[in-house]
Amino acid sequence: MNLRSLVAGSGGYLPRRVLTNDEISKTVDTNDEWIRERTGIRERRIAADGELTSDLAVQAAEAAMSDAGVAAADIDLIIVATTTPDKTFPATAAIVQAKLGVDKGAAFDVQAVCSGFLFALTTADNFLRAGAHKRALVIGAETFSRIVDWTDRATCVLFGDGAGAVVLEATELNGDTLAARGVITTEILTDGRLANLLHVDGGVSSTGTAGHVRMQGNRLFRQAVERISSAMVTVGKRAGVAPSDVDWFVPHQANERILNGVVEKLGLKRDRVVSTIAEQGNTSAASIPLAYAAARQDGRIKDGDLVMIEALGGGLTWGAALFRA
Ligand code: UT7
């Protein structure tokens, strides 16, 4: 049987606390104008004390399950993409599994920083198409505020907390690969030689601490537009569609200027780009499913629309995926 992973539902969750640019400018040497002009960010959400990555993930997962009309008993695979797990172990996915009351199948984390959702989606898609599992929760969840150095103005203005999720369902592929709903093709890539562009300066086996985010923003920026565009072209070619012909572009939300760079390079339609960066900042692995869920909920993305997602993050990791909503 030829299987296809249908994106059966989506959902997002943002913590209540809003942190504005003006508030950050009271603690580090920055200002609202610089942050808006250089990044497009106006505000971001910050998880409450005691609110964990798994808590955000569970909220997003429940929203996605309700959107898909499925229950905990229907889920047999949970993949959480996160760089900010509740604990070193067990996997945040295992904690989420227990909190959701899912009692079968597998649950594990994927670590690809801002590309995490793309890597998790690709993993789940392959598991489902192989017939190993039937219905997956693919979640991107982060409390990046906990690894940000709040004295470093170059990074602390960028990140926010949140979670997004989709339900992926194995369905029989009927008919044309491009016309049928579901995941059409994905491309994920890593170049570990560029790890120093974005990393944390700690870890379990090195410092025994979680560490703080360190970034060579300008060098990373230059890599981003190039590599993201190239992955999108690869995915498009494989599916037989030009990136400019997709209905919706749902990018990882790192910087408004990166989005605009990709839009210009590939001739995408600006009004077909889903951007949440102004209100959410960079939520790392959560940003793509959060943006997708928002655009589904407000009716922009409809059943059958062709959607391209992309990301680039620490590792260096990057890639793109094409699916029909
Ligand atoms: O999600 C993972 C992928 N992430 C990315 O791909 C992020 C890529 N990088 C970026 O988004 C941008 O490089 C940043 C937004 C991080 C920085 O923007 P930039 O235009 O590349 O600025 P820059 O790092 O070249 O810094 C320009 C100036 C510097 O001052 P001098 O040396 O010119 O005097 C910085 O010190 O801006 C200064 N600066 C700031 N000024 C006010 C850096 N951060 C701030 C700040 N407020 N928050």
Side-chain angles (χ1 to χ4, degrees):
M1 188 162 63
N2 216 349
L3 292 171
R4 164 66 62 96
S5 310
L6 178 73
V7 184
S10 61
Y13 174 76
L14 292 168
R16 288 165 73 134
R17 160 94 166 100
V18 175
L19 179 65
T20 64
N21 292 346
D22 284 338
E23 280 177 88
I24 299 183
S25 64
K26 288 183 186 131
T27 54
V28 289
D29 182 15
T30 188
N31 57 75
D32 178 53
E33 194 187 352
W34 190 96
I35 302 170
R36 275 193 288 109
E37 274 178 11
R38 298 292 181 116
T39 71
I41 300 167
R42 287 201 305 264
E43 59 191 41
R44 71 287 293 141
R45 300 297 185 97
I46 304 292
D49 288 347
E51 194 175 29
L52 307 183
T53 295
S54 64
D55 297 322
L56 311 189
V58 164
Q59 297 274 355
E62 282 174 344
M65 287 160 67
S66 148
D67 186 42
V70 301
D74 301 318
I75 302 293
D76 62 359
L77 177 65
I78 300 176
I79 306 182
V80 174
T82 187
T83 304
T84 47
D86 290 13
K87 298 178 173 187
T88 303
F89 80 83
T92 301
I95 299 168
V96 168
Q97 188 200 46
K99 285 184 178 173
L100 286 173
V102 173
D103 61 3
K104 63 171 182 283
F108 57 89
D109 290 356
V110 159
Q111 159 59 290
V113 204
C114 298
S115 312
F117 179 76
L118 204 52
F119 278 56
L121 184 85
T122 301
T123 307
D125 176 43
N126 279 286
F127 275 49
L128 295 188
R129 283 189 298 106
H133 296 264
K134 281 202 162 56
R135 204 172 282 102
L137 266 170
V138 183
I139 308 170
E142 302 278 18
T143 46
F144 238 71
S145 63
R146 307 225 162 108
I147 53 166
V148 161
D149 175 354
W150 287 100
T151 66
D152 175 17
R153 70 174 182 175
T155 51
C156 76
V157 300
L158 303 174
F159 296 97
D161 300 336
V166 298
V167 173
L168 268 196
E169 208 167 270
T171 53
E172 200 175 337
L173 172 62
N174 286 315
D176 183 73
T177 313
L178 184 61
R181 293 179 67 198
V183 179
I184 297 162
T185 185
T186 66
E187 168 90 344
I188 53 170
L189 294 156
T190 303
D191 186 344
R193 292 169 301 182
L194 297 173
N196 273 344
L197 295 187
L198 177 56
H199 66 113
V200 292
D201 57 6
V204 177
S205 79
S206 51
T207 59
T209 63
H212 289 111
V213 177
R214 303 294 171 214
M215 177 163 103
Q216 299 178 42
N218 209 281
R219 286 188 59 199
L220 191 60
F221 192 101
R222 276 180 268 131
Q223 296 287 336
V225 175
E226 211 50 51
R227 287 174 193 263
I228 288 166
S229 304
S230 136
M232 287 172 65
V233 169
T234 302
V235 157
K237 271 199 185 128
R238 209 180 287 144
V241 58
S244 54
D245 287 337
V246 302
D247 296 312
W248 293 100
F249 171 48
V250 185
H252 166 52
Q253 316 277 323
N255 187 322
E256 187 79 28
R257 285 158 54 219
I258 296 178
L259 309 196
N260 292 339
V262 173
V263 165
E264 254 173 56
K265 199 173 168 68
L266 299 182
L268 310 180
K269 300 173 201 89
R270 191 67 189 82
D271 61 345
R272 290 293 167 142
V273 179
V274 180
S275 176
T276 55
I277 189 144
E279 309 83 34
Q280 298 176 11
N282 179 349
T283 57
S284 186
S287 84
I288 293 173
L290 267 168
Y292 179 71
R296 282 293 278 176
Q297 213 173 0
D298 67 23
R300 272 177 291 170
I301 301 181
K302 298 184 170 54
D303 283 0
D305 281 355
L306 199 54
V307 179
M308 177 89 83
I309 63 176
E310 56 81 345
L312 175 131
L316 210 63
T317 54
W318 72 101
L322 186 70
F323 64 90
R324 208 171 269 288

